[in-house]
Amino acid sequence: FVWTMVSADGAPSFFFFLALYLLSIGTALVEGLVFLFFVQDLGASNTLCGLSIIVTVVFELPIFSYSKKCLDTFGIQGLLIMAGVCYVTRVMAYTLFSDPWMVLSVEPLHGITFAFKQIAAVHYCAAIAPPGCETSAQGFKDVVVQLGVITGTFGGGAVMERFGSVVMFRGAAGLVAVAMVLFALATRLGGGLSCEERPVDAPVKDETSTCSEGVEMQGP
């Protein structure tokens, strides 16, 4: 089943999930360690940290409300790449600020990053899921994301402690940027991503027999 997912569209599928994994590492650094950076490196107040969360949510919710329009306008590939671009722009800006209040100017980008990443991942996994394995496909997506969160939380903390926040954020920006470039090249050279999506909210078939049979047929 895992091989079916990562090879559904050939190289584009592999690099899609690689980009999703690396972007999840990057977002984990922000969600888990950014307040340490705000307070220790920029001298931000607790009030500013609270305001930054409000700003991200205010921009995040409307995007989810118009998720279908975003998907129709930019497509799965466009959404994921834009999520990566917004992430890179945001964390690179962090490392250039000296005034802590300036972080509010780039906090809306987190809402775009999170929403676009989630929309792209959910719809793409729905599109490539083998018949009867729709729920398993979403579970696979969550595994990729959570592996990124675990890697980012533990690895990011170690890098931040040894080399500092600036190195950590710029390193994460570099990884995400490389991932997005590789994904864009793979989709361009590999014929693009599947666009025959099955609706995510459609009734899910009984996976017990169909999905397990598909895994057995693929072998080890």
Side-chain angles (χ1 to χ4, degrees), residues 82-171:
M82 288 175 66
V85 170
C86 287
Y87 175 82
V88 171
T89 302
R90 181 190 181 200
V91 298
M92 285 300 295
Y94 283 162
T95 66
L96 300 175
F97 291 150
S98 56
D99 182 353
W101 288 93
M102 287 297 294
V103 302
L104 295 180
S105 65
V106 294
E107 286 305 273
L109 296 178
H110 176 73
I112 299 174
T113 297
F114 179 78
F116 279 12
K117 179 188 76 169
Q118 190 71 3
I119 294 169
V122 168
H123 282 267
Y124 185 58
C125 287
I128 65 173
C133 296
E134 289 84 358
T135 304
S136 295
Q138 296 302 322
F140 175 73
K141 177 262 299 179
D142 290 337
V143 168
V144 173
V145 170
Q146 292 307 314
L147 284 175
V149 171
I150 293 171
T151 305
T153 302
F154 283 95
V159 172
M160 185 177 185
E161 184 175 10
R162 182 167 183 177
F163 300 104
S165 302
V166 171
V167 171
M168 179 190 71
F169 282 126
R170 290 183 178 177

Side-chain angles (χ1 to χ4, degrees), residues 35 39 43-52:
F35 289 147
V39 174
S45 64
N46 292 334
T47 300
L48 176 58
C49 292
L51 283 175
S52 70

Side-chain angles (χ1 to χ4, degrees), residues 3-17 76 123-125 127-129 183 186-187 189-196:
W3 177 249
T4 299
M5 293 294 292
V6 299
S7 63
D9 291 321
S13 290
F14 173 80
F15 285 104
F16 176 91
F17 288 110
I76 293 171
H123 282 267
Y124 185 58
C125 287
I128 65 173
F183 172 58
T187 53
L189 300 176
L193 299 174
S194 171
C195 59
E196 297 180 359

Side-chain angles (χ1 to χ4, degrees), residues 1-4 130-131 133 209-220:
F1 173 76
V2 172
W3 177 249
T4 299
C133 296
S209 59
T210 308
C211 192
S212 60
E213 289 173 4
V215 173
E216 291 175 1
M217 289 175 63
Q218 293 170 40

Side-chain angles (χ1 to χ4, degrees), residues 15-31:
F15 285 104
F16 176 91
F17 288 110
L18 177 63
L20 181 63
Y21 170 69
L22 292 177
L23 185 55
S24 297
I25 290 177
T27 53
L29 298 180
V30 172
E31 293 172 356

